[in-house]
Amino acid sequence: MDPLAFRLLNYAETDPATGMAFSSKALRECYAQAAELFGWADRPLAPRQMRQGRLLKGWGMGTAQFPCPMFQAAAHATLRADGSAVVETSAADMGQGAWTSLAQIAADGLGIDVDRLEFRSGHSDLPDAGVAGGSGHTATAGTALFNAGADTVRQLADIATNDPGSPLFGAGNAGVTARGGRLYRNDDDSRSEAYEDILARAGLDLLRGEGKGAREGEPERAMFSHGGVFAEVLVDPDLGQIRVSRLVGAFAAGRIVNPHLARSQLLGGMIWGMGFALHEEAMHDPRTGRFTNNDLAGYHIPVNADVPFIEALTVHEDDSFVNALGIKGVGELGVTGTVGAIANAVWHATGIRPQRFPIHPESLI
């Protein structure tokens, strides 16, 4: 392990996420990239050494890790006579952009441009796409959609390579590759044919493939997404009030299908982790067991004013074991490291180790 990673591990004592795996090369790269952007090298080792005006300042880091589940999913992919396609699965989109990413994966499986694709989803009459949660939705539904597209392409290739009128005739052993709405011979890229021409000569208006998404059997390896989060907090020494002034995270989450959407989810996870560390707390009436703060007036969550500076980086990672597409989840990954990073930053600012979440001001006075 490189010296920087070894130093950083010493400050991850209170991260609440369990099962941390520190041997990952991708994890060390996450530490290094986030630490450089944050300026971690200038951190004094002892607590209560940094101030901003009268406020105590502290820096801390936490390790992010989240498993990579896969559920059960199914999908259809139908190629139409004009070379466009429609794909179907009942995937849900809660606002994180799942339908955008899933459409990209489906287009990739079919070998067509995404603007030639009609994506149908969000209806229970469609094939079951599995649970939209647990940071496994993209991997599960995406695998089903990709496999459905690949099944359609397989059927199309079988038609073309057995048709004497096709330039792909006899390419069975060499195989073909699908891209841009055409099939290309692997042994001669100059010989290709458009999807619509193959269908027209075969007298077909539609060609439909089926796909499933699931992990077969028990995994033989631990499968996780990784990351490192760095936090800066300002603490009022008289009132115990805590403000997070900076958050920087770097994450290795396999193949990133859509960088903009992945970054948005990672930022959301880090803000969620801030809520875990400082704001969110369910209170119960001891007589009835009912919640006494069951609305946003009493249940506190972070808002824009609570997040002055936040940045999330993604670290390239190829993982051929997690699934055929190499896709991992990002939705909840940012939560796990942020809680520990803030707790460690509070310790660095005050010398007091938080023992519960959310961290109450009275515990620091």
Side-chain angles (χ1 to χ4, degrees):
M1 182 177 293
D2 60 61
L4 174 62
F6 180 79
R7 288 176 57 202
L8 297 181
L9 290 179
N10 292 330
Y11 302 111
E13 302 95 342
T14 64
D15 197 316
T18 58
M20 297 302 166
F22 298 117
S23 60
S24 167
K25 179 181 178 181
L27 181 55
R28 294 199 298 271
E29 186 63 24
C30 292
Y31 287 151
Q33 290 195 24
E36 182 179 3
L37 179 59
F38 186 84
W40 182 259
D42 297 328
R43 178 186 190 273
L45 297 181
R48 300 183 70 92
Q49 300 299 305
M50 303 169 69
R51 284 185 177 266
Q52 183 169 309
R54 58 178 295 276
L55 302 178
L56 299 171
K57 180 190 291 187
W59 289 359
M61 68 81 57
T63 299
Q65 181 168 293
F66 201 84
C68 304
M70 283 190 68
F71 313 114
Q72 300 282 336
H76 300 153
T78 303
L79 188 62
R80 298 186 284 211
D82 63 355
S84 66
V86 56
V87 295
E88 299 173 304
T89 191
S90 61
D93 192 329
M94 299 178 289
Q96 73 274 44
W99 289 353
T100 300
S101 294
L102 293 176
Q104 291 179 258
I105 296 170
D108 194 26
L110 281 161
I112 64 175
D113 296 332
V114 73
D115 59 2
R116 298 278 287 161
L117 181 83
E118 180 184 348
F119 183 74
R120 296 178 183 170
S121 193
H123 198 289
S124 58
D125 286 343
L126 300 176
D128 183 6
V131 178
S135 294
H137 189 217
T138 304
T140 305
T143 298
L145 287 162
F146 186 90
N147 288 342
D151 184 46
T152 304
V153 170
R154 177 192 59 77
Q155 296 177 57
L156 191 69
D158 188 57
I159 293 170
T161 56
N162 288 285
D163 181 357
S166 171
L168 304 174
F169 177 68
N173 290 333
V176 297
T177 298
R179 66 177 185 271
R182 301 181 70 87
L183 293 181
Y184 293 81
R185 284 189 63 133
N186 290 334
D187 59 350
D188 185 356
D189 200 57
S190 67
R191 297 173 66 182
S192 69
E193 190 169 20
Y195 291 177
E196 54 266 37
D197 294 336
I198 299 172
L199 292 175
R201 199 168 45 254
L204 296 174
D205 293 327
L206 298 172
L207 187 64
R208 191 169 92 163
E210 309 280 341
K212 294 187 179 298
R215 184 172 287 138
E216 301 295 334
E218 291 296 321
E220 298 179 356
R221 294 172 171 82
M223 297 180 184
F224 293 89
S225 299
H226 305 289
V229 181
F230 293 76
E232 177 184 273
V233 301
L234 301 174
V235 182
D236 188 310
D238 299 319
L239 303 178
Q241 184 185 51
I242 307 166
R243 295 296 301 271
V244 175
S245 49
R246 286 195 297 146
L247 279 176
V248 174
F251 305 93
R255 177 187 177 189
I256 302 299
V257 177
N258 188 305
H260 294 294
L261 296 177
R263 178 176 177 273
S264 178
Q265 282 212 272
L266 290 168
L267 292 176
M270 293 165 70
I271 296 170
W272 188 359
M274 182 190 301
F276 186 127
L278 300 179
H279 300 87
E280 300 185 48
E281 183 174 22
M283 299 179 181
H284 299 82
D285 185 328
R287 297 169 300 174
T288 65
R290 293 180 177 176
F291 291 108
T292 60
N293 63 333
N294 57 353
D295 56 37
L296 292 179
Y299 187 87
H300 299 154
I301 61 173
V303 297
N304 286 353
D306 294 308
V307 192
F309 179 90
I310 182 170
E311 185 56 272
L313 314 172
T314 54
V315 174
H316 178 79
E317 180 189 29
D318 295 316
D319 191 329
S320 59
F321 298 107
V322 66
N323 51 60
L325 301 180
I327 293 174
K328 300 181 178 182
V330 296
E332 290 148 299
L333 176 62
V335 182
T336 59
T338 303
V339 183
I342 292 173
N344 286 329
V346 169
W347 169 81
H348 189 239
T350 65
I352 298 171
R353 184 71 73 185
Q355 299 298 320
R356 66 184 301 276
F357 298 100
I359 305 169
H360 287 180
E362 58 264 29
S363 66
L364 305 179
I365 299 175

